[in-house]
Amino acid sequence: GDVYKRQERHNASLADLLSGKYTICSISPDVFDRTDVIPVVVLFGGAGGGVEKGLPGKKDGKHLVVAVSIEGDAITAQAHRLNNPKVPMHQLMMANHEEVLAAVERYLPRVFWSKSWWHASPSCKKGSCANYGQSPAEVKNWFKTANWTVALLKKSGCPVWTLENTVRLLQCFLGFPTARVFRMERHCALPQKRARLLVSNIVISIPLYEGPQLSCYDALAEVKGWSGPAANLLQRNSFAHVRTCAKPSFTVTSGPHHIGGTTIGGMTDQHIPTARDRSILQGWPSEDPMVFPPGNTETDNRILVADLIPPPFATVLATGDVFRTLVKMVSQFATIVTRLGADKCAARAVDGPQGRDWLVQPCASATSSPDGLVRSGASRCSLNRASVDAATPASRALRPGVGDHGLVV
């Protein structure tokens, strides 16, 4: 298809990204220097890049641009490139924080981390809500991976980070501004039942979806050639639970589901949904079929699909509290840079005792700082009741005000 014919583009411009003509290998830093661009970093990108696929092209005059998506598995990374050609993909088995941060810096200079959103979705296939038979030791191992990832996200110093994982880890992350299990089909147009844990350093509240609940039949009737009625068609998951196709599908896994039979005993291998069917149930648009690496088996592809973040949920996640917080932080950041200039002070977002603060520090020159602070200048900054004197030896935190959810933004 077209994805195999695209010309690769390094150091791409925003126009290159928006054209849809290229496989983007890297993006020019000039793109992230724009006030209408919010950088996004994705860790454990997966095969389809659910977050990437669900990002709006532009919202309220702002472009959310993925600077890089990092994935450890070679086949999974290849699938990601095929399905998200405008997202730079970096293959790396993530085991060391500094190595990962250095890899991100190759695509997104640290100077821009202070206005970026970082999202991580460590694969939790074995720990999904469908697999409750796992031992406490295995749950502990899943937590170690997730906790390692949260520590990495904190090190980035980004104003907003999110982690998506199995619901079984909820108790491990209580105490964060957001540690909540979301039933995804209640918050977006999704034709399956799917529950996932979301953890974040900001308060995230996603409104309930007000449209009709999509059914398995709604999603697959055209693709499968069903004529209905939906209530006469059955579906069965790998635990032998049965419901009609007039309801949402069971949680999509790579296991032996059966869909579209008229009797329980009559469901055979021909009723096992394909990887493409499962991608549609995951919310992937049927008019833009998911692409799989050549040489993959059908089983391989089903495993890739099962790990997706449903794009409709990614959309509501990216365009709600995450987006609003980023816009506020970017606006405040731009105000600091504008008022201080370019050679006397450094500013970045940091975790303060009451939430997110802007830390402003005096500096002797405009040279880049090894800690990635954004350089700015002039002698004084005043921002929403808070000010900083750049000539003062001690660092001070800009505290612009408390946001809608008690977060200092």
Side-chain angles (χ1 to χ4, degrees), residues 70-293:
I70 299 180
E71 169 58 46
D73 180 74
I75 298 300
T76 304
Q78 183 183 7
H80 188 285
R81 292 188 186 98
L82 292 173
N83 289 288
N84 299 274
K86 67 178 181 180
V87 175
M89 162 53 63
H90 184 82
Q91 186 190 339
L92 173 68
M93 191 62 69
M94 289 175 278
N96 177 277
H97 283 179
E98 298 311 315
E99 185 179 21
V100 176
L101 295 175
V104 172
E105 190 171 14
R106 289 173 51 188
Y107 296 86
L108 181 67
R110 286 181 186 249
V111 72
F112 301 117
W113 292 10
S114 295
K115 67 169 190 172
S116 63
W117 169 32
W118 290 40
H119 175 81
S121 293
S123 177
C124 51
K125 176 179 178 291
K126 292 182 179 179
S128 72
C129 57
N131 298 319
Y132 277 108
Q134 306 299 323
S135 70
E138 288 173 306
V139 175
K140 184 177 180 179
N141 284 333
W142 303 326
F143 170 69
K144 285 176 62 177
T145 299
N147 197 45
W148 181 93
T149 305
V150 167
L152 173 62
L153 294 168
K154 288 181 176 180
K155 278 187 178 181
S156 75
C158 65
V160 179
W161 59 258
T162 49
L163 172 86
E164 178 262 352
N165 215 268
T166 173
V167 300
R168 299 192 67 188
L169 297 183
L170 172 62
Q171 296 299 318
C172 302
F173 290 103
L174 293 178
F176 280 87
T178 294
R180 176 181 171 186
V181 172
F182 283 89
R183 291 290 300 268
M184 293 184 173
E185 76 281 0
R186 296 178 181 175
H187 300 277
C188 63
L190 187 66
Q192 67 160 314
K193 298 282 188 180
R194 194 172 190 87
R196 308 302 289 165
L197 169 66
L198 188 67
V199 182
S200 180
N201 66 328
I202 68 167
V203 176
I204 296 177
S205 178
I206 301 176
L208 294 176
Y209 177 61
E210 296 182 354
Q213 171 63 66
L214 297 181
S215 68
C216 177
Y217 186 89
D218 294 330
L220 293 180
E222 183 176 352
V223 172
K224 307 298 287 184
W226 295 336
S227 57
N232 290 349
L233 299 177
L234 301 175
Q235 54 178 316
R236 178 176 60 195
N237 69 4
S238 54
F239 292 95
H241 298 155
V242 177
R243 65 170 63 128
T244 75
C245 289
K247 296 183 178 181
S249 80
F250 293 99
T251 299
V252 172
T253 70
S254 58
H257 300 223
H258 292 81
I259 295 178
T262 55
T263 64
I264 296 175
M267 287 194 280
T268 63
D269 287 354
Q270 68 175 337
H271 297 104
I272 296 177
T274 66
R276 185 193 175 194
D277 296 338
R278 296 170 199 236
S279 71
I280 295 171
L281 293 174
Q282 283 274 51
W284 197 278
S286 58
E287 66 275 11
D288 178 24
M290 192 172 174
V291 183
F292 301 102

Side-chain angles (χ1 to χ4, degrees), residues 2-19:
D2 180 58
V3 291
Y4 295 100
K5 302 175 183 177
R6 293 172 185 254
Q7 178 184 351
E8 291 188 350
R9 182 58 60 95
H10 295 263
N11 208 37
S13 66
L14 185 60
D16 293 333
L17 286 169
L18 298 179
S19 72

Side-chain angles (χ1 to χ4, degrees), residues 390-405:
T392 302
S395 300
R396 297 188 183 179
L398 290 181
R399 195 175 297 280
V402 178
D404 296 337
H405 302 290

